[in-house]
C-alpha cells in the first residue's frame, strides 16, 4: 500500500533531478500526495463525497465545509491543482525547479495540516 508520504518522498527525489521533466513530475506527485490526503481526510471527517470522487469533488467538499480550516485547505488544494495542471499539460511553457520546489513545500504543508485536522476528529 502506498501513502501520501510516499508520494511526497518521491517528489523530493524528483526535485533533485536536472531536467524539467523531473521537476514537472515532482509537482505532479506532490499534488497527488495532497489530493489523496484530502480524500482520506474527507472520508474520516464524513464530508459529503461520492465514492471515487474526482479532484473537483474533493476540493469542493472542503471548500464548502463549515470549518474555516477545511475551507482554507480546499482553497489551497485548488491552487495546487492549477499548478499541477501547469506542470502536466502546459508543456510549451518553461517549468523551473524553483516552481516545483514551491509546489512541493505547499503540498507538504497541506498534507501536514490535513493530518493535524484528522488528529482532532473523534475516533471512528
Amino acid at each position: 500500500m502506498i501513502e501520501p508520504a510516499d508520494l511526497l518522498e518521491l517528489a523530493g527525489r524528483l526535485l533533485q533531478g536536472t531536467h524539467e521533466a523531473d521537476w514537472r513530475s515532482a509537482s505532479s506527485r506532490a499534488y497527488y500526495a495532497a489530493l489523496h490526503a484530502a480524500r482520506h481526510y474527507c472520508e474520516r471527517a464524513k464530508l459529503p463525497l461520492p465514492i471515487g470522487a474526482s479532484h473537483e469533488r474533493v476540493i469542493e467538499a472542503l471548500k464548502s465545509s463549515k470549518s474555516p480550516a477545511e475551507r482554507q485547505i480546499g482553497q489551497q488544494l485548488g491552487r495546487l491543482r492549477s499548478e499541477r495542471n501547469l506542470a502536466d499539460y502546459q508543456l510549451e511553457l518553461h517549468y523551473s525547479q524553483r516552481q516545483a520546489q514551491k509546489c512541493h513545500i505547499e503540498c507538504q504543508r497541506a498534507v501536514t495540516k490535513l493530518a493535524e485536522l484528522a488528529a482532532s476528529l473523534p475516533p471512528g
Side-chain angles (χ1 to χ4, degrees):
M1 183 169 158
I2 190 166
E3 297 290 333
D6 299 317
L7 294 172
L8 280 174
E9 182 183 322
L10 173 59
R13 290 195 309 267
L14 289 165
L15 276 174
Q16 303 308 310
T18 57
H19 301 285
E20 187 173 336
D22 297 322
W23 309 328
R24 288 175 179 272
S25 295
S27 291
S28 185
R29 293 306 90 204
Y31 165 75
Y32 278 105
L35 176 67
H36 289 295
R39 182 177 283 137
H40 178 70
Y41 173 81
C42 288
E43 291 167 358
R44 287 243 6 249
K46 302 194 180 354
L47 293 177
L49 195 64
I51 293 173
S54 66
H55 303 250
E56 293 91 3
R57 295 245 174 118
V58 172
I59 292 167
E60 202 50 47
L62 290 163
K63 281 180 163 181
S64 62
S65 169
K66 293 179 182 172
S67 160
E70 290 173 356
R71 287 195 308 270
Q72 184 178 14
I73 290 288
Q75 295 286 340
Q76 183 180 24
L77 200 57
R79 290 188 305 274
L80 289 168
R81 182 173 186 225
S82 294
E83 185 67 25
R84 195 270 312 176
N85 285 342
L86 173 67
D88 280 349
Y89 300 121
Q90 296 188 7
L91 303 182
E92 70 282 359
L93 300 176
H94 175 70
Y95 198 81
S96 71
Q97 187 177 29
R98 179 77 178 124
Q99 283 173 279
Q101 289 167 336
K102 288 174 62 177
C103 182
H104 187 253
I105 289 167
E106 282 302 306
C107 289
Q108 285 177 313
R109 287 180 181 153
V111 169
T112 299
K113 183 63 176 177
L114 286 160
E116 291 169 3
L117 290 172
S120 69
L121 292 173

